[in-house]
Amino acid sequence: MAALFDMNLRAMRRDRAARLGAELFLYERVFEDCLERVELTNRRFERALLIGCPNQQWPARLARILAETEVRDPGSLFAHAAGGEIIVEDAWEPRAGAYDLVFAIGTLDSTNDLPLALNLIGHAMSPGGLFIGAFSGGNTLPRLRAAMRAADSSSGTASPHVHPRIEAAAVAPLLSSAGFANPVIDIDQIEVGYPSFDRLIADLRRMGVTNILSDRSREPMTRAAHSAAKTHFQDAGRKGRT
């Protein structure tokens, strides 16, 4: 069976985002929230791992609560800009008990074997360590999904455009199965308004989160399909924003 996601393409997408200049507003919201939660524990952590680092300044911002931080990112440009290494979360060999804190920011939802990825992270953590992370899940990008269905209807074909998402109810059992104690799952619903379909796509490119499905279409969208998607997206909005 073919893998759900193309890992080489994921790395290329993140490298493209780095070259374009990463769009950070959602990443920053998530990072600051995770950082605040860690600070509320009133613990001093000695060695941390940060998985997913689109902002090379994050390790320095972590320094106020950490003695040492190691960085890994699926994209080589993000990884190297932060002085880190490349990672594929379900295909690396971590040292047992190496970290007492692990952050995972915005990458686990595009991992082919999430249970294995969580098991490897757990293996890398010392007893009593803390794992905190975030990824997009559930009903992410509903207007984009609807717009792409309109595009498919216009062209008379169907192709997977938007990634399947992990429901929040499934996350706690996954964490428990990987050996994590007392998992807590929160949902942060964020509404972002866009003036156009193309502006949304441009931001997704600069976030490194466009389509990496192995079963994606290799054909470019036709002009008619693109027009249908734009029109459907615009019609779903109000006061010029969707």
Side-chain angles (χ1 to χ4, degrees):
M1 180 181 294
L4 178 62
F5 298 113
D6 182 334
M7 292 291 98
N8 289 331
L9 184 60
R10 180 175 73 152
M12 292 169 62
R13 292 282 195 257
R14 291 181 75 84
D15 284 350
R16 179 177 66 180
R19 287 192 295 269
L20 291 173
E23 177 51 75
L24 295 172
F25 75 94
L26 284 179
Y27 288 124
E28 284 290 341
R29 177 189 175 108
V30 167
F31 179 75
E32 284 295 334
D33 183 57
C34 290
L35 192 59
E36 180 179 331
R37 290 167 188 255
V38 170
E39 290 179 312
L40 288 173
T41 66
N42 291 318
R43 289 176 55 184
R44 175 65 177 176
F45 295 96
E46 296 301 322
R47 185 168 175 79
L49 171 65
L50 171 60
I51 300 174
C53 187
N55 184 346
Q56 67 189 69
Q57 302 302 319
W58 282 1
R61 286 155 64 183
L62 283 168
R64 67 176 184 261
I65 60 169
L66 297 170
E68 186 177 354
T69 302
E70 183 177 313
V71 174
R72 289 180 179 254
D73 193 279
S76 63
L77 296 184
F78 283 149
H80 296 157
E85 299 179 11
I86 300 170
I87 189 173
V88 176
E89 297 89 330
D90 57 1
W92 63 304
E93 298 181 0
R95 300 186 305 279
Y99 312 101
D100 55 2
L101 174 64
V102 175
F103 287 87
I105 307 294
T107 70
L108 290 178
D109 55 319
S110 57
T111 300
N112 281 312
D113 192 336
L114 182 56
L116 176 56
L118 292 174
N119 272 287
L120 290 172
I121 289 171
H123 176 72
M125 296 179 65
S126 59
L130 176 65
F131 171 53
I132 185 166
F135 54 78
S136 58
N139 194 34
T140 297
L141 296 172
R143 298 291 181 262
L144 175 61
R145 293 172 185 270
M148 297 316 298
R149 287 194 294 270
D152 283 346
S153 179
S154 170
S155 63
T157 61
S159 176
H161 301 286
V162 183
H163 297 173
R165 296 295 179 185
I166 304 163
E167 294 295 336
V171 179
L174 286 171
L175 289 169
S176 295
S177 295
F180 291 98
N182 305 315
V184 176
I185 311 303
D186 286 339
I187 300 173
D188 186 12
Q189 294 181 322
I190 307 166
E191 183 173 299
V192 182
Y194 277 93
S196 70
F197 174 80
D198 289 337
R199 176 62 188 274
L200 168 60
I201 300 302
D203 267 14
L204 294 177
R205 287 196 181 106
R206 293 176 61 203
M207 293 177 189
V209 294
T210 50
N211 190 354
I212 61 165
L213 291 167
S214 297
D215 196 31
R216 69 194 180 280
S217 172
R218 268 56 172 183
E219 298 297 325
M221 188 182 295
T222 66
R223 189 170 299 177
H226 187 213
S227 178
K230 290 174 63 174
T231 299
H232 191 282
F233 186 83
Q234 208 73 29
D235 290 347
R238 60 184 183 274
K239 296 183 179 180
R241 300 186 76 84
T242 301

